[in-house]
Amino acid sequence: LQTDDPDRDRSIRCCVLLTAQPENEFAEFQPTSVAQLPEAILIGQPVAFQITGDLTLKGVTSEVVFDVTVTIISDEILQGSASTLVNRQLFGILNNSENSFDYHGVSDIVTLEFDFVARAVSE
């Protein structure tokens, strides 16, 4: 994860999400359902839908819903973005008064967002 503050990024790696530790290096998202997906999608036309699933951070799993926008660029490429709001306390990432840790201005509700590109591969 990367934020707009290098000090916050270091805190996330070492002390918040503990991603410096091998067992916490990656977050995991396991989709469980898709909603609002249209029956037809045209090349070049953005499509918005939702993906619900289980997000695991630091060994703690909670259900989240990502709002996703995807555009099929060609027969070979699609690109998109996804975002969700997460309450960090659901993952055991407590506020300052509960653990005396400075989260560098991070609120309890955090936006997780990412952009992606998927390319067709030959089998």
Side-chain angles (χ1 to χ4, degrees), residues 44-78:
Q45 181 179 10
V47 175
F49 57 96
Q50 294 183 322
I51 298 177
T52 300
D54 296 324
L55 178 65
T56 302
L57 300 171
K58 286 180 39 180
V60 177
T61 301
S62 185
E63 183 178 83
V64 298
V65 178
F66 277 96
D67 293 315
V68 181
T69 301
V70 170
T71 302
I72 297 175
I73 304 302
S74 70
D75 290 341
E76 302 283 322
I77 301 172
L78 70 84

Side-chain angles (χ1 to χ4, degrees), residues 87-104:
N87 184 331
R88 62 184 166 93
Q89 292 187 28
L90 291 176
F91 294 94
I93 304 169
L94 304 175
N95 64 33
N96 299 352
S97 63
E98 293 167 318
N99 66 1
S100 301
F101 187 78
D102 180 8
Y103 283 107
H104 299 280

Side-chain angles (χ1 to χ4, degrees), residues 105-123:
V106 175
S107 68
D108 285 345
I109 304 299
V110 179
T111 301
L112 297 180
E113 59 187 5
F114 62 94
D115 298 320
F116 57 90
V117 175
R119 300 181 192 279
V121 295
S122 57
E123 294 183 30

